[in-house]
Amino acid sequence: MEGLIKPKQYDWKDSNLALFGSDVENQVKKESAECEPAWRKAGQEFGLQIWRIVKFKVTEWPKSEYGKFYNGDSYIILNTYQEEGSDQLLYDVHFWIGKYSTQDEYGTAAYKTVELDTYLNDVPIQHREVQDHESALFRSYFPTVTILEGGADSGFRKVKPEEYRPRLLHFHGDKHGVRVREVPRCRSRIDSTDVYILDLGLRLIQWNGRGSNKDERFQALSYSKQLASERGGKPKVETVDEGSDAREFDRYLDKENETEEEFLAADKTPELYRLSDASGTMSFKLEKRGNVSRSDFDSNDVFIFDTKSELFVWIGCDTTEAERKNAMVYAHRYLMGTDHPMLPVSCVSENGRQAPAFVSALSS
């Protein structure tokens, strides 16, 4: 039917980072960063600050919603902290891309992340995060990461419980963290090793798979109680175990399943690429396959280190402006040509802080 066109999953992954191209190719200046109202309170207090991109604008995300992300949006997440024994404020800044986020939203989030980095005097380590493929660092910020359907135009709005559309929430994880995702209400999606909540607005039915763990069950119960509280205590919270009478739960499992690609690297061998304009033109070539050590990096160039579970952009202290400016662009283009384009990406500089995940990925 006209007007009911389903958005494309990861539409942005086919782009060439347009907002880092001809329109926004100039160096981000400190003056422009200081004109962004959203950054006025950025990095002044310890902890997390989150913004969502809405129609090219950076909008503050309510603290009550931290940990919740809509799959049609892109977000910027700033973590401010200090290392023990140091007075210097340190930062990690992430831009997060939802499955149905548009190229405009993704490009704006990426651009504004660079701008925020500039505003904070290039101290932050920059990261790219993609829905369902987030880094361990990103996941560590939240007790649960909840992925919900919708976006800026439709996702975040108050709905009366009695008008709520039925939805199915999937809880999967362990003591290191439980992830919550809204999934199609489809029988084939039900996994006996996990926990689900059927949200009917005024009725919340928790279904515990026989192989689910205590962390998943506990987080699901906590989530149900929080939802009930947010709705004035009106919803009835119920729990059923697999194998017991769950006819009411089953009755709402009528949606068609969505096929999802895995996007996992078939070849797990680490690879190191060099980006250099020493020859007079920009070249990007494979430097090494297998174990990569610190001695494999050269201060004169940029290196793309693909561990096959994360990707690192390493910028040498003597690189040219053109190499630095094109580093993330080449990293993005490289990943788009692989079978694992959704990897988390972190940008580290030779003279700056080294991301712990980068250090641990190097061979001794």
Side-chain angles (χ1 to χ4, degrees), residues 113-358:
T113 296
V114 175
E115 188 179 81
L116 178 55
D117 177 273
T118 301
Y119 181 77
L120 296 173
N121 299 311
D122 299 320
V123 175
I125 294 178
Q126 297 178 47
H127 308 266
R128 184 200 78 164
E129 309 283 353
V130 179
Q131 178 186 332
D132 300 332
H133 302 269
E134 295 89 351
S135 66
L137 176 63
F138 180 89
R139 296 194 303 270
S140 72
Y141 298 148
F142 311 100
T144 59
V145 174
T146 305
I147 309 299
L148 300 172
E149 296 288 326
D153 293 332
S154 62
F156 185 57
R157 57 188 178 90
K158 296 298 182 183
V159 180
K160 295 179 181 179
E162 57 270 19
E163 298 174 356
Y164 224 84
R165 62 173 178 82
R167 59 178 186 165
L168 185 65
L169 300 172
H170 176 203
F171 291 74
H172 173 77
D174 52 29
K175 63 182 180 181
H176 300 294
V178 175
R179 182 182 184 83
V180 187
R181 290 182 59 199
E182 183 176 351
V183 296
R185 290 181 284 109
C186 179
R187 286 181 177 82
S188 64
R189 295 296 290 265
I190 302 300
D191 186 336
S192 291
T193 65
D194 292 328
V195 174
Y196 298 80
I197 289 177
L198 179 62
D199 181 1
L200 302 175
L202 291 175
R203 190 178 181 189
L204 303 169
I205 305 174
Q206 177 175 329
W207 183 92
N208 298 325
R210 61 172 57 92
S212 60
N213 60 52
K214 61 181 178 60
D215 300 289
E216 293 163 337
R217 297 185 184 205
F218 174 78
Q219 288 294 346
L221 182 60
S222 298
Y223 196 92
S224 291
K225 291 180 177 179
Q226 181 182 343
L227 283 180
S229 176
E230 290 173 358
R231 298 172 191 172
K234 295 180 180 180
K236 179 183 178 182
V237 178
E238 308 169 42
T239 301
V240 296
D241 295 322
E242 184 177 6
S244 63
D245 186 358
R247 281 174 291 182
E248 284 299 292
F249 181 84
D250 293 334
R251 187 159 68 90
Y252 288 89
L253 303 183
D254 56 3
K255 290 285 187 179
E256 292 185 4
N257 195 13
E258 290 184 0
T259 57
E260 295 185 354
E261 296 181 69
E262 284 292 321
F263 297 117
L264 299 177
D267 181 355
K268 303 296 185 182
T269 307
E271 295 178 339
L272 184 66
Y273 292 82
R274 182 192 294 263
L275 177 66
S276 176
D277 61 2
S279 64
T281 59
M282 194 68 70
S283 66
F284 181 73
K285 65 177 183 177
L286 177 65
E287 192 78 6
K288 187 177 184 181
R289 277 175 55 86
N291 291 333
V292 173
S293 65
R294 195 177 297 273
S295 62
D296 293 318
F297 296 83
D298 180 347
S299 299
N300 295 306
D301 292 319
V302 166
F303 289 82
I304 309 297
F305 180 25
D306 183 1
T307 72
K308 303 303 173 71
S309 59
E310 286 193 55
L311 187 135
F312 299 95
V313 179
W314 186 92
I315 302 176
C317 60
D318 296 325
T319 54
T320 66
E321 180 182 348
E323 290 168 344
R324 291 192 299 272
K325 186 170 63 176
N326 284 282
M328 285 293 280
V329 176
Y330 271 83
H332 179 81
R333 289 175 179 170
Y334 161 75
L335 279 177
M336 294 312 100
T338 71
D339 60 355
H340 49 286
M342 309 304 180
L343 290 190
V345 178
S346 296
C347 186
V348 296
S349 59
E350 180 180 12
N351 287 339
R353 290 183 300 120
Q354 303 296 292
F358 171 77

Side-chain angles (χ1 to χ4, degrees), residues 39-58:
W39 305 152
R40 289 173 185 167
K41 296 182 180 179
Q44 295 181 14
E45 298 180 356
F46 297 134
L48 291 178
Q49 291 173 274
I50 302 178
W51 300 268
R52 180 171 63 166
I53 304 302
V54 180
K55 297 179 179 179
F56 296 98
K57 293 185 178 180
V58 182

Side-chain angles (χ1 to χ4, degrees), residues 9-80:
Q9 294 187 27
Y10 301 117
D11 183 49
W12 55 269
K13 79 180 180 64
D14 299 319
S15 74
N16 61 354
L17 269 179
L19 287 179
F20 276 100
S22 58
D23 293 337
V24 197
E25 196 170 45
N26 295 328
Q27 181 181 3
V28 179
K29 298 182 183 297
K30 181 80 171 179
E31 293 81 7
S32 66
E34 290 177 341
C35 292
E36 171 55 66
W39 305 152
R40 289 173 185 167
K41 296 182 180 179
Q44 295 181 14
E45 298 180 356
F46 297 134
L48 291 178
Q49 291 173 274
I50 302 178
W51 300 268
R52 180 171 63 166
I53 304 302
V54 180
K55 297 179 179 179
F56 296 98
K57 293 185 178 180
V58 182
T59 62
E60 189 173 356
W61 189 235
K63 288 187 180 296
S64 61
E65 299 297 303
Y66 280 17
K68 295 180 182 179
F69 301 92
Y70 286 92
N71 64 8
D73 288 331
S74 289
Y75 299 77
I76 296 173
I77 299 91
L78 174 69
N79 184 39
T80 303

